[in-house]
Amino acid sequence: MSLPKTLAEDVARNLVMVAKLLDEDPEQAYGYSRVALRLASRVAAVREAAGFASYAVAKYAEALAEFRAARRMTGSVELWPIMADCERGMGRPERALAMAGEPEVQKLDKAGQVEMRLVAAGARKDMGQADAAVVTLQSPELASNSIQPWTARLRYAYADALLEVGREAEAREWFAKALEADQGGTTNASDRLAELDGVEFTDALDESEDAEQEPQGEEAKAGPAESKDTESKDTESKDTETEDTESKDTESKDTETEDTESKGKDARSPASRAEAGYGG
């Protein structure tokens, strides 16, 4: 379906943002996909992008509806594995397992068939069939020594399935193989290996925060001592003020006493008052 130039440009801008943000900010990518969907819901690429954006934010029912619409428009089977995984996300692993046995799987390319195998193994685990999950993943692609884009994920899934059934030594071996193939860092195989080997990682950021908090603790301890010193200084200051006040009061009383005595002498001796220049 062709769109007017201006509308096509608007749709393209939104689809670019969906692709750009899908991994780093899926919620925002989902928002852009809804805008594109409102503008051009009859375009297969828009429906597919909307499906991936919905899948990224765990809106599996929406995602499945969009993928089905895109498939009807194009007739392609390449979305079959992710459609099956949407069934798993909606709590219907038996439907996902049924899709793994449909003729559409035979039409998938090698990468698509590996994806379908991963979904089927996940469905087995969802249904509590851990041993069956291990068997499902065993395939020529798993045994191959060649490194393909899906190799790391396949080996990782197999290692995880082995660990779930208690085959720890084999699981460690396959986690190591997954790490060897994981050139893009798509799995956390290195962390899983460390866990099996009993290695613990310390967060350097946490240590830095603890180190910054230690001086504050010393200051907090020093606080009460400083408070006591201040109280002591305040007490000394009050004592000094009291002594000064008492001293001034004593001096004042002595002065008053002398004045009284002097006045008494003046009253008793008029001649002395006249000599001092007082009025008669």
Side-chain angles (χ1 to χ4, degrees):
M1 178 182 178
S2 61
L3 298 172
K5 183 178 179 182
T6 303
L7 180 58
E9 290 174 351
D10 288 343
V11 172
R13 276 194 293 269
N14 281 282
L15 293 182
V16 167
M17 293 306 296
V18 172
K20 181 179 179 180
L21 297 169
L22 195 60
D23 291 329
E24 61 186 59
D25 192 346
E27 288 289 347
Q28 199 168 0
Y30 175 76
Y32 280 107
S33 76
R34 304 317 286 180
V35 174
L37 195 58
R38 287 196 298 270
L39 294 173
S41 62
R42 295 184 180 181
V43 175
V46 171
R47 303 303 291 265
E48 184 175 327
F52 279 109
S54 298
Y55 181 86
V57 294
K59 295 180 182 291
Y60 299 115
E62 280 186 22
L64 184 57
E66 298 303 334
F67 289 140
R68 283 174 174 167
R71 183 169 179 267
R72 283 195 302 269
M73 293 175 183
T74 62
S76 173
V77 297
E78 66 178 10
L79 295 173
W80 195 255
I82 197 168
M83 289 169 63
D85 207 37
C86 286
E87 294 285 5
R88 280 187 64 211
M90 294 165 65
R92 301 188 299 216
E94 67 285 347
R95 292 195 184 183
L97 203 56
M99 290 178 69
E102 295 291 335
E104 282 81 356
V105 177
Q106 303 305 317
K107 301 176 184 177
L108 294 169
D109 60 12
K110 185 64 69 177
Q113 290 180 4
V114 170
E115 289 296 330
M116 194 69 247
R117 191 176 292 277
L118 289 168
V119 173
R124 290 289 187 188
K125 290 174 70 174
D126 294 343
M127 297 167 69
Q129 301 172 6
D131 288 307
V134 172
V135 175
T136 300
L137 291 167
Q138 292 171 349
S139 60
E141 293 80 18
L142 180 67
S144 175
N145 290 322
S146 66
I147 305 299
Q148 302 296 331
W150 37 260
T151 302
R153 292 175 55 240
L154 180 59
R155 292 177 178 180
Y156 181 93
Y158 187 58
D160 192 51
L162 287 170
L163 191 61
E164 190 159 335
V165 296
R167 293 159 64 176
E168 188 172 313
E170 291 175 82
R172 193 199 179 287
E173 178 186 347
W174 281 97
F175 277 129
K177 289 182 178 181
L179 180 60
E180 181 183 300
D182 194 2
Q183 300 171 352
T186 57
T187 72
N188 66 337
S190 59
D191 293 340
R192 301 297 296 275
L193 275 171
E195 288 176 10
L196 289 174
D197 292 340
V199 177
E200 294 184 3
F201 295 99
T202 303
D203 194 329
L205 182 61
D206 289 343
E207 287 186 347
S208 176
E209 289 176 353
D210 292 341
E212 289 177 1
Q213 289 174 1
E214 284 179 2
Q216 294 177 359
E218 293 175 1
E219 290 174 6
K221 291 178 182 178
E226 291 177 1
S227 177
K228 290 179 181 179
D229 291 342
T230 303
E231 290 176 1
S232 177
K233 288 179 182 178
D234 289 343
T235 304
E236 290 176 2
S237 177
K238 288 179 181 178
D239 292 343
T240 303
E241 288 176 3
T242 302
E243 290 175 0
D244 290 344
T245 302
E246 290 176 353
S247 176
K248 287 179 181 179
D249 290 344
T250 303
E251 290 177 0
S252 176
K253 288 179 182 178
D254 291 343
T255 303
E256 289 176 1
T257 303
E258 289 175 0
D259 290 344
T260 302
E261 290 175 355
S262 175
K263 288 179 180 180
K265 289 178 183 178
D266 290 343
R268 291 190 297 268
S269 177
S272 299
R273 288 181 64 192
E275 291 176 1
Y278 292 118

